[in-house]
């Protein structure tokens, strides 16, 4: 089964609202990354958070990591219609081969103008 | 203009034919990866390469083959042995192999086999 699982599977909000997506994983990790994918396109890296970090910010993005609960959340503040995309978490367990990220199934975010 | 290119964007093949998907990067990255994405699904790793002339099987390598003769190129061949080849294929690279490095993705190739 997938190491990372996102929740919810789909999220629909109005422009200006905040969007929160969650990622849970099963085993310990070295790092956790978040990616964004516009429909039919490649993925774009958003943030990497290491296992010894609890929170990171990048512009309107805030990522938290709780290793005791094996979970991470991605918060997008003041959402825009252009934020409409799928968002994936990817984990890097210690036992994985070099560079082998395991991706979750993603959260589909729709932001209505 | 640095990045990863994949060609073609759309590819159509008849069942029983092998097909090769191109992936080129000019980022001077050592590591390269091939993923498969099915509708509504996450990415599954097919093959990855940490360095030139070396590559490793991912989670779903059966029916696929790769080569890494040049640092900038990592072509994927979908063979006739792949039972369900219709999918969206994504190539990625990272500076070095390791989960501490972000991966840069190409635009993808959508393969349809009939």
């Amino acid at each position: 089964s997938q190491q990372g699982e996102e929740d919810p599977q789909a999220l629909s909000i109005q422009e200006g609202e905040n969007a929160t997506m969650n990622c849970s994983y099963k085993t310990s990790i070295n790092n956790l990354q978040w990616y964004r994918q516009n429909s039919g396109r490649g993925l774009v890296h958003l943030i990497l958070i290491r296992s010894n970090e609890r929170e990171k910010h990048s512009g309107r993005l805030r990522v938290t990591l709780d290793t005791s609960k094996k979970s991470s959340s991605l918060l997008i503040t003041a959402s825009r219609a252009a934020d409409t995309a799928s968002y994936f978490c990817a984990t890097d367990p210690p036992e994985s081969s070099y560079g082998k990220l395991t991706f979750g199934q993603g959260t589909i975010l729709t932001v209505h103008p | 203009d640095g990045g990863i290119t994949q060609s073609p964007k759309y590819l159509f093949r008849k069942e029983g034919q092998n097909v090769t998907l191109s992936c080129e990067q000019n980022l001077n990255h050592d590591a390269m990866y091939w993923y498969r994405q099915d509708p509504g699904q996450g990415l599954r790793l097919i093959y990855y390469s940490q360095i030139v002339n070396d590559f490793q099987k991912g989670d779903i390598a059966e029916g696929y083959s790769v080569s890494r003769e040049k640092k900038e190129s990592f072509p994927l061949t979908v063979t006739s042995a792949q039972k369900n080849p219709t999918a969206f294929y994504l190539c990625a690279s990272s500076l070095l192999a390791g989960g501490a490095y972000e991966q840069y993705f190409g635009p993808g190739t959508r393969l349809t086999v009939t």
Side-chain angles (χ1 to χ4, degrees), chain A residues 2-52:
Chain A
Q2 294 281 357
Q3 164 74 328
E5 294 188 4
E6 288 90 344
D7 170 62
Q9 290 189 342
L11 181 60
S12 182
I13 60 174
Q14 295 296 127
E15 216 168 22
E17 294 180 340
N18 294 344
T20 300
M21 289 157 270
N22 302 296
C23 170
S24 60
Y25 54 91
K26 295 182 172 60
T27 66
S28 62
I29 60 169
N30 289 326
N31 307 278
L32 187 145
Q33 301 187 34
W34 283 92
Y35 287 82
R36 163 198 169 122
Q37 182 182 34
N38 287 78
S39 182
R41 311 288 290 273
L43 278 69
V44 175
H45 181 263
L46 297 176
I47 284 186
L48 181 152
I49 187 164
R50 304 186 195 287
S51 60
N52 61 354

Side-chain angles (χ1 to χ4, degrees), chain A residues 2 31 33 35 37 40-45 48 50 88 92 97-106, chain B residues 9 33 35 37 40-43 45 48 50 59 88 90 97-103 105-107 110:
Chain A
Q2 294 281 357
N31 307 278
Q33 301 187 34
Y35 287 82
Q37 182 182 34
R41 311 288 290 273
L43 278 69
V44 175
H45 181 263
L48 181 152
R50 304 186 195 287
F88 296 90
D92 166 32
S97 300
Y98 294 111
K100 188 179 171 186
L101 291 177
T102 302
F103 286 81
Q105 295 191 336
Chain B
K9 189 172 176 65
Y33 314 84
Y35 293 93
Q37 186 177 32
Q41 301 286 318
L43 278 63
L45 182 65
Y48 65 102
Q50 298 178 49
D59 299 316
F88 189 50
L90 287 159
Y101 298 94
E102 66 177 275
Q103 294 187 10
F105 284 80
R110 190 168 299 279

Side-chain angles (χ1 to χ4, degrees), chain B residues 13-112:
Chain B
R13 279 294 182 270
K14 296 287 189 186
E15 203 172 301
Q17 293 179 335
N18 291 356
V19 60
T20 297
L21 281 58
S22 167
C23 177
E24 303 276 332
Q25 55 99 357
N26 62 3
L27 300 168
N28 201 32
H29 285 173
D30 277 339
M32 297 187 75
Y33 314 84
W34 273 106
Y35 293 93
R36 170 185 172 133
Q37 186 177 32
D38 293 286
Q41 301 286 318
L43 278 63
R44 290 185 290 168
L45 182 65
I46 305 172
Y47 268 98
Y48 65 102
S49 169
Q50 298 178 49
I51 201 165
V52 175
N53 293 323
D54 177 74
F55 50 83
Q56 307 292 332
K57 292 183 180 179
D59 299 316
I60 55 166
E62 187 176 346
Y64 300 96
S65 66
V66 294
S67 63
R68 185 88 187 275
E69 296 175 2
K70 297 186 296 182
K71 187 175 186 177
E72 57 270 22
S73 179
F74 191 40
L76 173 75
T77 296
V78 184
T79 75
S80 56
Q82 168 50 231
K83 291 184 172 56
N84 186 17
T86 294
F88 189 50
Y89 290 88
L90 287 159
C91 180
S93 72
S94 60
L95 182 63
L96 297 171
Y101 298 94
E102 66 177 275
Q103 294 187 10
Y104 293 74
F105 284 80
T109 291
R110 190 168 299 279
L111 173 65
T112 302

